[in-house]
Amino acid sequence: MPNDPTESYDVAVIGAGVIGAAIARELARYQLRVVLIEATADVGTGTSKANTAILHTGFDAKPGTLEARLVRRGHALLSEYGTAAGIPIERTGALLIAWDAEQLAALPAIAAAAARNGYAATRRVTTAELYATEPHLGAGALGALAIPDEHIICPFTTPLAFATQAVASGVALRLSSPVESITRNDTGVHLLQTPRATFASRYVINAAGLYADRIDRWFGHETFSVTPRRGELLVFDKLARPLVSHILLQVPTKTSKGVLISPTVFGNVMLGPTAEDIPDKTATASTAAGIAHLRERGQRIMPALIDEEVTAIYVGLRAATEHSDYQIAFYPDQHYVCVGGIRSTGLSASMAIAEYVVAGLADAGLQLEERDDFQNVTMQNIGEAFARPYQCAEMIAANPDYGCIMCHCERVTRGEILAATRALIPARNLDGVRRRTRALLGRCQGFYCSAAITSFVAEATGQSVDALLGLDP
């Protein structure tokens, strides 16, 4: 039914990952009819949910690139926004470690490039200072470069906060709606066909992540191809957290930033990622070779970490292209913007990308008139370093469900899970509950609590347990 639109908008944003959600939020500032269209059943479920969760400064971006500019700007914007919106951010700082003479000799050039990117706070760290700061580091490190403003951030709450603020301010969110085709009618309006509806929109923004190249070709462009870069990561138990204070980075190569060790905002320690270009955009299974590589690298960087228990292994696919920069292109005549090739730095750059895209739309002729009812949002902060509901006597007194813990590994209460299912963008499955509350993400990975939580979420969402577990025929 491409000629029978059921919903009409000024701007359609394809993809509700962190980039699409940030763009929708930025558009929500203006008197526009905006729809955010997502192929899956929730916000932030693709590349956005499985990354290294670092708030980058852009110190190591290639100087002069759009990526360098937007990561630098995005770091400032997200640092300020995250504090206000309840996004967990821990200000850990990072150490870029040199393990041989060649890497040590490269540090001054890296610091100089950082300065050209507008980041001048790097500092040389001697071997003695490095081991005093990180005493569990493996033997053989020769020195480091300190990057005090690289921090850790929650990759789950960030896109949810953006999308929640967008929806609260009038943006329509359409989930489980993969865009199958796009045509343009005689009046120049785009018709986006999905299994659920046809959306008519004057402008289209392509923020489809791994599939951005396919949609770009529908508009007649072949300027880049997305080759998924698989990154496998090991997550160690919270008992390992005292081993590491900073994000421990490797001197980057031409193709990868290397394997890092980092605390997480949930109180764990992460080792990874690998970097393997693959043809399959759905290949998110871990591999024996990848895990062996991570353990070999981890043994070199921090031997004591490898003796700790691994609680989870996860795999993310970065939207790598043949180019070394973001692929953001404006096509004013088509009323179309492509936001492709956004790699692992996209989380950090997300708000700056949104700002850049909306400014470009204005230059392309989209009228932007500010609205006076743009809504602020505050998410429940799920970071380990922040106060949690089970610790808050006032919350428990007001609602005893906040004193009833259901996931004992992560200290997640019945009240938090219920709130997640009743949020403006509600959790409709167990993965959604995980990303909103941390339930089922702990040491037992749901072994002890999943039955009770599944039954509770089924009742709260009006679904059967079989449906929730995907067992319905």
Side-chain angles (χ1 to χ4, degrees):
M1 298 184 295
N3 294 317
D4 183 24
T6 55
E7 301 182 34
S8 296
Y9 297 93
D10 296 309
V11 185
V13 182
I14 303 173
V18 71
I19 302 301
I23 293 170
R25 173 193 168 275
E26 188 68 21
L27 288 167
R29 295 178 181 277
Y30 304 99
Q31 295 184 27
L32 296 168
R33 295 167 298 160
V34 179
V35 61
L36 177 60
I37 305 171
E38 167 57 34
T40 68
D42 203 356
V43 170
T45 58
T47 58
S48 298
K49 75 172 184 178
N51 59 49
T52 49
I54 294 174
L55 181 54
H56 294 286
T57 59
F59 82 96
D60 56 349
K62 185 178 180 181
T65 61
L66 183 61
E67 180 181 25
R69 172 182 155 194
L70 294 180
V71 172
R72 184 77 188 118
R73 170 69 176 160
H75 180 280
L77 291 172
L78 189 50
S79 294
E80 181 179 357
Y81 177 79
T83 301
I87 297 171
I89 297 174
E90 280 191 52
R91 302 179 190 282
T92 56
L95 295 167
L96 183 74
I97 300 171
W99 292 95
D100 57 38
E102 184 178 354
Q103 292 179 359
L104 190 66
L107 295 185
I110 293 172
R116 291 201 298 279
N117 287 335
Y119 186 73
T122 59
R123 179 179 64 83
R124 283 293 296 270
V125 176
T126 65
T127 307
E129 184 184 354
L130 176 60
Y131 279 99
T133 304
E134 295 289 351
H136 299 286
L137 204 61
L142 301 180
L145 195 67
I147 308 102
D149 299 298
E150 294 264 312
H151 303 311
I152 55 177
I153 185 170
C154 179
F156 305 151
T157 309
T158 308
L160 282 167
F162 292 156
T164 298
Q165 190 169 15
V167 171
S169 301
V171 170
L173 174 63
R174 298 292 180 260
L175 300 171
S176 303
S177 300
V179 177
E180 297 176 330
S181 67
I182 302 176
T183 57
R184 204 172 184 191
N185 66 19
D186 294 340
T187 64
V189 172
H190 298 287
L191 302 171
L192 291 75
Q193 182 76 23
T194 78
R196 295 192 168 206
T198 299
F199 303 101
S201 182
R202 294 193 296 125
Y203 290 80
V204 172
I205 299 173
N206 170 12
L210 292 170
Y211 300 94
D213 54 345
R214 185 176 70 179
I215 291 175
D216 203 42
R217 280 160 176 70
W218 292 349
F219 285 85
H221 310 295
E222 294 191 24
T223 58
F224 69 94
S225 295
V226 174
T227 300
R229 184 164 295 162
R230 180 163 57 192
E232 302 177 49
L233 300 107
L234 304 182
V235 178
F236 291 84
D237 187 80
K238 289 179 171 58
L239 293 173
R241 180 63 180 83
L243 292 175
V244 57
S245 301
H246 298 77
I247 304 163
L248 304 180
L249 304 170
Q250 306 299 296
V251 174
T253 67
K254 290 183 179 179
T255 57
S256 170
K257 294 183 178 182
V259 172
L260 61 86
I261 290 176
S262 173
T264 77
V265 293
F266 305 140
N268 301 90
V269 176
M270 184 176 59
L271 169 66
T274 56
E276 178 189 6
D277 288 349
I278 58 174
D280 187 352
K281 294 182 178 181
T282 65
T284 55
S286 59
T287 67
I291 293 170
H293 173 68
L294 292 178
R295 291 186 61 83
E296 183 271 331
R297 292 302 304 154
Q299 184 69 39
R300 169 75 186 278
I301 301 168
M302 186 167 283
L305 179 63
I306 300 304
D307 294 332
E308 296 291 335
E309 293 183 358
V310 173
T311 59
I313 298 170
Y314 70 91
V315 180
L317 299 176
R318 287 101 90 184
T321 74
E322 64 272 46
H323 304 287
S324 60
D325 201 357
Y326 293 165
Q327 297 300 295
I328 303 178
F330 298 88
Y331 300 95
D333 292 343
Q334 292 181 299
H335 284 193
Y336 166 64
V337 184
C338 179
V339 189
I342 310 299
R343 298 167 296 185
S344 58
T345 55
L347 173 62
S348 304
S350 54
M351 296 186 76
I353 291 173
E355 192 178 68
Y356 178 77
V357 166
V358 173
L361 282 171
D363 292 340
L366 180 65
Q367 295 295 313
L368 298 179
E369 185 175 347
E370 288 195 14
R371 55 191 301 164
D372 57 11
D373 58 349
F374 184 58
Q375 302 292 311
N376 292 321
V377 299
T378 302
M379 310 296 286
Q380 175 63 55
N381 194 315
I382 60 174
E384 187 77 358
F386 301 86
R388 304 284 303 288
Y390 80 91
Q391 299 169 311
C392 180
E394 289 184 359
M395 290 184 73
I396 296 170
N399 182 353
D401 277 347
Y402 286 114
C404 178
I405 292 177
M406 297 194 75
C407 171
H408 288 264
C409 293
E410 296 296 307
R411 307 288 197 273
V412 181
T413 67
R414 177 185 172 95
E416 291 169 272
I417 295 172
L418 189 61
T421 65
R422 294 175 176 175
L424 186 60
I425 303 175
R428 297 291 298 172
N429 52 44
L430 295 179
D431 184 53
V433 171
R434 285 188 189 93
R435 288 183 292 105
R436 287 164 175 82
T437 69
R438 289 170 48 180
L440 308 169
L441 283 176
R443 182 176 300 150
C444 84
Q445 292 287 290
F447 182 83
Y448 291 106
C449 63
S450 62
I453 291 176
T454 302
S455 177
F456 182 67
V457 172
E459 181 180 353
T461 60
Q463 304 176 79
S464 69
V465 169
D466 283 354
L468 206 57
L469 296 176
L471 299 177
D472 274 354

